Each structure stands twice: as C-alpha cells, then as structure tokens.
Amino acid sequence: LSEPSAVIQDYLLNARYGAGLSAGDLDATGFADLLAYSTEQVAYTQANSTPGTHDRWSIDGMFGTYGDVKSNIDTLCQSCATFFTYNPKVGKFTVVPNREATAGEKAAAFVFDSDNIVGAIDITSPELYSTINEIEAEYPLVTKKDQTDIVFLSIPAGERNANEPENKLTTRYSLVNDTPRVTNLANLKVE
C-alpha cells in the first residue's frame, strides 16, 4: 500500500498491528476526500530537470508498530498533510486533508456579519517567536538507497514581519522518500 487513505484505513482497522477499530467507527467521506486529493496528479521537476507528474501524496516507508497507536497515526497523517479527528456529529473517526476549500464548501460555509456576531472581535498578529520561518526536513531519499537527505526552506527576510527572529523547525518525514513531496510538505509548515 502507498495511497494514503488506504494505508491509514489499513492501520486503523488492523487489530494485530494497528488501532483495531471497526469499519463502522470510520467516516468514509473523509477517506474518500483524502483518496481524491492524494491521487490528484501534480507537476514536479525530475532529477534530470525534465517536468513530470505524480500523485500528490504517497506513503513510501515503514515504521515500527512497537510505538503507541496515536504517534503512528500522527506519522501517517504528517506524511500526507492530513488531520486525524473524531467527528462528534456522526460519532466516527475521520481524516481531513489540509487543502483549500472547494467552491461547494465555501458556498456552504457560515458567514459572519453584523446580524450574527454577538460580542467583540479582537484581531491580533502572531507572536514573533512562535512563527516558523525556516524548516529543515530530513527524509530517506529513495534514489540514495533511503539514506537521509535534507530539504531546507526559508522565508526570505523581506517577507518576514519586522524584527522577526529566525525560528527554525527541524523535522523528519520518515514515510516520504522523494524530494518533491517533502518540499511540498515543508512548504505547508512555513507558509
């Protein structure tokens, strides 16, 4: 398995090495959304500088099942920019891809206006020391026999807030083994 929704469902449903949930515990809508988003073809530049396309997300690696279930689920979701959550409206677990809202979702969204706002609204800027503006992402590169490689991204100084200090996040994408996908995941963290 490498398609993220199938991998996550397999781990959630397996009683031997996974969470041991039943199919009735999962909301299929979120997994169908993740399937469609993950398998969407996106453009990238290959190592030989020629353009190509591939699935947006793919889980290409292994992790030990000796760790706790929640950490393993987090690692799987990190590898495909997805959130794992419980939907109390339907009483089931689901996944929510980190993506732009569709036109239908935007049309159905609740709109705040002066008729339905009851209290005051405070608008604040983010704390300077909590803003991530650099990332160092390690990953096992498939073309180097899964030896560790690094993607380093930084927001240019001209695009940062005034007096914003360098705040680097160091992370590892252990289940993603190609540079274009790691670069896309890292960009989501620093934007």
Side-chain angles (χ1 to χ4, degrees):
L1 296 175
S2 63
E3 189 279 307
S5 69
V7 172
I8 294 171
Q9 285 183 79
D10 177 67
Y11 185 76
L12 293 173
L13 297 174
N14 194 291
R16 185 171 58 87
Y17 58 79
L21 298 174
S22 70
D25 293 329
L26 304 180
D27 181 15
T29 306
F31 290 95
D33 189 22
L34 177 58
L35 170 67
Y37 189 63
S38 296
T39 57
E40 182 180 334
Q41 295 296 296
V42 294
Y44 75 103
T45 303
Q46 299 177 32
N48 61 4
S49 299
T50 59
T53 60
H54 64 181
D55 289 351
R56 179 181 308 278
W57 304 126
S58 180
I59 295 180
D60 299 311
M62 299 183 294
F63 59 83
T65 57
Y66 49 82
D68 64 283
V69 170
K70 180 64 174 127
S71 295
N72 289 340
I73 293 170
D74 288 345
T75 300
L76 288 168
C77 289
Q78 176 197 30
S79 302
C80 58
T82 298
F83 304 102
F84 179 72
T85 188
Y86 182 77
N87 184 346
K89 290 182 180 179
V90 295
K92 296 180 180 192
F93 292 97
T94 192
V95 290
V96 180
N98 184 8
R99 59 167 176 74
E100 182 181 0
T102 64
E105 290 167 339
K106 289 177 184 178
F110 186 78
V111 177
F112 288 103
D113 59 24
S114 59
D115 294 332
N116 56 25
I117 297 176
V118 179
I121 297 176
D122 292 328
I123 299 174
T124 59
S125 60
E127 184 179 321
L128 289 179
Y129 291 96
S130 66
T131 305
I132 296 170
N133 50 33
E134 295 180 350
I135 186 168
E136 183 177 294
E138 298 178 348
Y139 65 102
L141 182 59
V142 68
T143 58
K144 291 186 179 177
K145 298 183 181 179
D146 288 340
Q147 291 182 17
T148 298
D149 202 359
I150 297 173
V151 167
F152 183 79
L153 298 174
S154 177
I155 295 177
E159 295 180 19
R160 295 181 186 180
N161 293 320
N163 301 320
E164 182 179 334
E166 289 184 6
N167 189 10
K168 181 170 77 170
L169 171 68
T170 301
T171 191
R172 179 165 180 84
Y173 294 102
S174 57
L175 301 178
V176 183
N177 64 4
D178 66 276
T179 306
R181 288 187 181 106
V182 171
T183 302
N184 289 341
L185 287 166
N187 267 319
L188 290 173
K189 291 284 188 187
V190 295
E191 288 183 346

